[in-house]
Amino acid sequence: MQDCDYQNTRLTHLGRDTRVSAGFVNVPVCRGSTILADNLEQWAQRKEPDNPYVSYGRFTNPTLQTLTQAVAELEGGFQASLFPSGLAACTHALLGMLEVGDHLLIPDSVYGPVRAFAQQVLASRMGIQVQFYEPSLGEEIASLIRPHTKVVYVESPGSATFEIQDIPAIARCAHAVGAYVLLDNTWATPLFFKPFEHGVDVSIQAATKYLTGHSDALLGVATANERAWPLLRRAAHDFGQTAGPDDAFLALRGMRTLGVRLRQHQSSALQIARFLEHHPQVQQVLHPALESHPGHAIWKRDFTGSTGLFGVVLEPLSQAQLSLFFKTLRLFGIGLSWGGFESLALPMDMPKRNGQALFGQGQLLRLHVGLEEPQHLQQDLAQALDAAYALNTSRNTEGLCLVAQQA
C-alpha cells in the first residue's frame, strides 16, 4: 500500500470539524427535513445554490456534508453527491450526463444491474444509443467513438470477470470529442486508485461496500470534477436523490478504519489467491495483482494496491458437487454485496463474449476475503474443495465396481 501511513492519518482527520460537531470527535447524526430561517434575508441566502446549508433537508445537512466533503477530498475531486445505493449513484450519474440521441460506450464486463439499466431504460425508453465494448480496449476505443459520444463508462476491474482497463488511454480518446468518463471505483476505493489523476470526470462508489465496511448500510456516492459537477448535482436534485443521515454516519465511521481494513483485505486475499492458483481443482484465478493476470501490467502501473474481491474458475463439477462445496464451507457465507468484515463466496453464471463462454466449461465463483485469519479461510476452502471433488471420485469408483460385478 503506497503512502499507507499518510492515508491513515488523512482518514482519521478528514471532515472532523469541532465547530460542526460541538467538540465531539464524530459529527452527530443530524436528522431533519425543515430548516428554519430567522429572517427573510437569511432565507434568501439559504436558497442560493452554492450555500452549504440550503433551504431543505433533502439537499444536505452537517452529517451529509461532512461525508461528501471527505470523500471528494479523498478522491481528489471537486464535489460529491450522496445517493441511497451504489446502483442509484451509477444510474443517476449516467442520467446527469446523457440526453436523447447521445451515444454511450459501456464495457461488456459492466456490473449486471448497470447493464440492465443501460439496455432497459437508457436505450429502450430514453433514446440513448448504447454500445457495449470489449473491456480490453485501450486507445483502440477511438474507433468506436462518434461525434455524439457523450459518455464512456469504465469499470476496472470488471464485475465478475476482473479485467483491468487502460483508463488513461480511454480518457484521452473520450476527451478528444468532449465526452465524459464515468468510473465505478468501488473495488479499488480512492486509496488504491486516484480517478482524477487518470482522466476520470465522475468517480462512483458503492459506499455500501468498503467505505462503510460493516455490512450495515446502503449508500452510494459520486464525485465529480469541476467540469462535470453541475450536471451531476442537477441530476441528483432533479430526481430527488439523497441519503439518510444514519447511513452517512455509518459511512463516516467506517471511513476512519478504511486504510487498516484494506491492508488486511489485500494481504489475506493475495494469500488465498496464490493458494488457489496452484490448487489442482482450480482452472484460473482472476485477481489483477497476480502476475498471471492478463491485466497485471496496467494494474501495477495505475493502482497502488488490491482489495479482497476476486474471481476463481473451478474445474467443471456437477450441481451436486457444487451444492456440497457450499454446504461444507464454514467461514464463507453465500450472499450478495461485499466489502464487509465477513468472507463471502458466490456462484456466478459464466459470462459470455460474442456468444461464447468466457472461461469455457468451468464454474465461476466470486470470493470476498474478509478479516478472518487467512490460514483459517484457506483451510475452509481447501476442505470444501476436497469434499466436492471427492464426491465425483466416489461415484466414479462405485460405478466401476458395479460394472465389474455385472461383467
Side-chain angles (χ1 to χ4, degrees), residues 194-334:
K194 298 298 182 185
F196 300 99
E197 295 178 8
H198 293 87
V200 170
D201 297 292
V202 179
S203 177
I204 303 160
Q205 294 180 76
T208 305
K209 310 299 198 284
Y210 284 123
L211 196 65
T212 299
H214 291 77
S215 301
D216 54 6
L218 286 168
L219 193 67
V221 59
T223 306
N225 58 19
E226 193 167 0
R227 171 183 174 232
W229 172 244
L231 296 176
L232 178 65
R233 179 178 62 181
R234 186 186 69 187
H237 287 193
D238 287 350
F239 286 92
Q241 291 294 299
T242 187
D246 293 277
D247 286 342
F249 178 85
L250 291 172
L252 279 166
R253 182 199 64 181
M255 188 183 69
R256 305 305 177 190
T257 61
L258 180 62
V260 293
R261 285 188 287 108
L262 286 187
R263 181 188 300 173
Q264 188 62 50
H265 285 300
Q266 174 177 239
S267 174
S268 297
L270 278 170
Q271 179 175 326
I272 300 298
R274 291 193 173 105
F275 157 71
L276 291 171
E277 195 173 29
H278 297 96
H279 194 281
Q281 304 299 347
V282 173
Q283 286 186 1
Q284 191 174 356
V285 178
L286 311 175
H287 192 311
L290 293 178
E291 293 76 5
S292 58
H293 190 279
H296 177 73
I298 295 177
W299 173 83
K300 190 173 182 179
R301 182 194 71 188
D302 293 345
F303 291 71
T304 59
S306 61
T307 55
L309 191 77
F310 64 96
V312 179
V313 184
L314 300 179
E315 292 289 345
L317 72 174
S318 67
Q319 186 61 38
Q321 288 176 290
L322 187 63
S323 177
L324 182 60
F325 170 79
F326 281 100
K327 286 180 181 178
T328 310
L329 286 173
R330 294 292 176 263
L331 300 179
F332 285 82
I334 308 174

Side-chain angles (χ1 to χ4, degrees), residues 142-204:
S143 64
L144 303 180
I145 291 178
R146 307 171 188 172
H148 61 297
T149 300
K150 189 69 173 293
V151 169
V152 180
Y153 193 94
V154 291
E155 184 179 317
S156 185
S159 185
T161 52
F162 296 92
E163 295 101 331
I164 293 293
Q165 295 191 255
D166 191 340
I167 294 174
I170 292 171
R172 287 193 296 271
C173 297
H175 292 159
V177 298
Y180 295 93
V181 177
L182 273 60
L183 163 72
D184 185 334
N185 198 31
T186 304
W187 183 89
T189 82
L191 268 62
F192 291 157
F193 186 81
K194 298 298 182 185
F196 300 99
E197 295 178 8
H198 293 87
V200 170
D201 297 292
V202 179
S203 177
I204 303 160

Side-chain angles (χ1 to χ4, degrees), residues 321 387-401:
Q321 288 176 290
Y389 286 96
L391 177 64
N392 189 45
T393 303
S394 174
R395 288 185 174 180
N396 288 342
T397 302
E398 290 173 3
L400 288 173
C401 291

Side-chain angles (χ1 to χ4, degrees), residues 25-95:
V25 171
N26 296 308
V27 175
V29 177
C30 181
R31 302 183 184 93
S33 54
T34 300
I35 304 172
L36 295 176
D38 292 334
N39 51 58
L40 190 61
E41 289 73 24
Q42 187 185 71
W43 175 251
Q45 183 184 17
R46 283 186 173 180
K47 291 177 69 176
E48 293 295 323
D50 292 327
N51 191 333
Y53 296 102
V54 291
S55 56
Y56 190 43
R58 176 163 57 85
F59 301 119
T60 193
N61 68 38
T63 311
L64 305 184
Q65 186 187 6
T66 299
L67 179 57
T68 55
Q69 288 179 341
V71 171
E73 184 176 340
L74 195 61
E75 292 221 90
F78 180 62
Q79 291 194 52
S81 185
L82 296 178
F83 297 85
S85 70
L87 179 60
C90 294
T91 58
H92 286 83
L94 285 165
L95 287 169

Side-chain angles (χ1 to χ4, degrees), residues 87 89-106 110 113-132 150-153 182 235 239:
L87 179 60
C90 294
T91 58
H92 286 83
L94 285 165
L95 287 169
M97 307 295 140
L98 293 164
E99 297 179 355
V100 174
D102 285 341
H103 177 234
L104 164 66
L105 283 168
I106 197 163
V110 72
V114 174
R115 184 187 192 95
F117 174 78
Q119 293 173 317
Q120 298 170 17
V121 178
L122 296 180
S124 297
R125 298 169 58 186
M126 296 187 61
I128 307 296
Q129 298 176 35
V130 176
Q131 182 177 359
F132 293 94
K150 189 69 173 293
V151 169
V152 180
Y153 193 94
L182 273 60
F239 286 92

Side-chain angles (χ1 to χ4, degrees), residues 348-366:
M348 307 285 287
D349 291 335
M350 190 59 69
K352 294 182 178 180
R353 296 284 189 274
N354 300 317
Q356 300 296 318
L358 193 59
F359 303 112
Q361 301 301 312
Q363 171 62 53
L364 177 62
L365 300 180
R366 190 183 73 183

